[in-house]
Amino acid sequence: MQEALRQAFPSSFGGLYVQQDGTPMIEVVGPDPRIVTLVSGYPLSVEPVFEPAAYSETELDALHAWVRDRADDSFSIDGVSLAAIETDIINNRVNVYVVGPTADDLDRLVKDMKPGIVVIQASGYAGANACSKSNCPNPLKGALWLYQSSTFWCMSGFVFRHPATGKYYLSTAGHCSTIGDTYQHPSGTNIGQVTHQGWVDQSTADVSLIQIASSKKSNLIMDSNTSTRAMTSREDPASNEVIGEGACASKKTTTNCGSLISVNNTISICEGACHTITHMRRASVSSVGGDSGSPVYYGFKAIGIISASYPGAPGDSLYSHVRNVELKWSMVTQITP
């Protein structure tokens, strides 16, 4: 339904999100009874609520792009450092999070923004770096601690397969590694070598891929230190991604769940060099240093890969969507044993 509304009413559909009680909230720019008619044709278990909006989803995306295009290579605008740019469907606006501006710089930036863009001071950007997890035998699973030369590093995510070559790849966060890095189990057993890196400027996925043997592949993640969970599907954001849907992350010490907050975030990740990553997802799932690369899922559905905590909101995380990983490298998420 969301994709049908987006395509049929680009100038009046403001977005769709789900409240905690399960009520679908559909934002509409101006009175457009055709939207009500289309929605009434879908068998919904909960009656949706239509609420007025100032900007269509298309207009919000354009405002987001306008801010992103104004940022320089250091992810700053007129000397003010940005932490993130977020398309906020629920509040029907674009949020621009900034770090450490003077009062004069902040005032100048606020005056320079277009209507529909809100500037918010953030406490800073917290990336996730090194970590560890106990050894685990093949097949390789998501949420394993990864090592480089006996040093704790990042988490493993989902396994991907290249249909044309038949090769398999274990994922982790892109800012954790460079092409050629080799990962091991804690015992020193080799996992494989990084062959694809998504952590490049203007990428849509902060993800690296480690080529593994077919015997090591799996569709399992460790949802605790002792139990695993099989992935039977993956989310296609074009038709299934709704603000408010559930999201869980299995990380270095625990698994916790929350909900999707926004689907269009632009951030600058700095690990030595700095790169701008677009189309990141934000969810109310906490992350700390070492959680990068952790798998994001809900039930038995693969969703994404943790990148970092959200600027100014330590209880939220940013993640790359599995579909963006697939599109970037013509891969498919491994969802069968």
Side-chain angles (χ1 to χ4, degrees):
M1 180 180 70
Q2 179 177 235
E3 186 61 20
L5 289 169
R6 183 179 293 123
Q7 293 183 6
F9 309 106
S11 62
S12 55
F13 175 60
L16 184 154
Y17 63 95
V18 178
Q19 292 188 320
Q20 288 188 344
D21 63 2
T23 302
M25 307 295 293
I26 300 173
E27 298 186 338
V28 183
V29 180
D32 195 336
R34 297 175 302 162
I35 289 182
V36 178
T37 300
L38 189 151
V39 171
S40 65
Y42 285 83
L44 300 176
S45 58
V46 179
E47 190 71 20
V49 174
F50 297 89
E51 57 182 2
Y55 304 98
S56 69
E57 197 175 63
T58 302
E59 289 172 322
L60 290 177
D61 286 343
L63 288 173
H64 186 122
W66 181 82
V67 177
R68 188 172 66 241
D69 291 344
R70 292 207 57 203
D72 58 24
D73 291 342
S74 63
F75 206 51
S76 301
I77 296 179
D78 296 333
V80 178
S81 297
L82 308 184
I85 310 166
E86 174 189 50
T87 299
D88 185 348
I89 295 295
I90 295 177
N91 292 304
N92 195 236
R93 68 192 191 190
V94 170
N95 298 323
V96 179
Y97 292 84
V98 298
V99 181
T102 66
D104 288 343
D105 286 343
L106 182 62
D107 183 61
R108 186 178 68 255
L109 183 65
V110 168
K111 290 179 179 178
D112 198 33
M113 292 293 104
K114 290 184 175 183
I117 301 172
V118 177
V119 178
I120 301 171
Q121 290 202 58
S123 58
Y125 169 80
N129 297 312
C131 67
S132 65
K133 193 163 187 171
S134 57
N135 196 5
C136 183
N138 289 332
L140 296 173
K141 304 166 183 65
L144 292 178
W145 295 348
L146 299 180
Y147 284 64
Q148 288 184 18
S149 302
S150 301
T151 300
F152 299 157
W153 204 249
C154 285
M155 304 294 290
S156 66
F158 298 108
V159 171
F160 293 85
R161 177 176 61 86
H162 196 293
T165 64
K167 294 179 179 178
Y168 291 88
Y169 302 86
L170 183 67
S171 60
T172 188
H175 67 263
C176 292
S177 62
T178 58
I179 290 178
D181 285 350
T182 299
Y183 284 104
Q184 304 92 24
H185 285 309
S187 63
T189 304
N190 184 59
I191 290 177
Q193 190 176 72
V194 175
T195 56
H196 298 66
Q197 188 178 30
W199 185 56
V200 294
D201 200 37
Q202 301 302 318
S203 175
T204 59
D206 175 28
V207 176
S208 285
L209 300 181
I210 307 159
Q211 188 172 337
I212 59 175
S214 59
S215 60
K216 296 180 180 180
K217 73 179 187 298
S218 89
N219 67 340
L220 301 173
I221 62 168
M222 299 189 70
D223 59 3
S224 73
N225 285 334
T226 57
S227 64
T228 59
R229 179 184 298 253
M231 296 292 100
T232 59
S233 66
R234 69 97 165 91
E235 183 176 66
D236 182 353
S239 59
N240 298 329
E241 199 173 30
V242 177
I243 304 301
E245 68 178 23
C248 301
S250 184
K251 301 166 298 179
K252 66 177 182 178
T253 57
T254 185
T255 295
N256 73 304
C257 299
S259 59
L260 180 65
I261 296 174
S262 59
V263 300
N264 190 7
N265 289 274
T266 298
I267 62 170
S268 180
I269 295 180
C270 298
E271 192 73 25
C274 294
H275 297 302
T276 299
I277 313 295
T278 65
H279 296 89
M280 300 292 286
R281 273 62 173 173
R282 175 186 178 187
S284 55
V285 176
S286 64
S287 62
V288 297
D291 289 335
S292 291
S294 300
V296 180
Y297 65 96
Y298 193 71
F300 302 96
K301 176 174 63 179
I303 296 177
I305 297 166
I306 290 286
S307 175
S309 59
Y310 195 80
D316 297 347
S317 295
L318 290 160
Y319 64 88
S320 302
H321 200 281
V322 293
R323 183 59 173 150
N324 284 350
V325 180
E326 292 178 335
L327 292 173
K328 182 173 181 61
W329 291 304
S330 300
M331 302 278 184
V332 294
T333 309
Q334 179 69 8
I335 58 173
T336 55

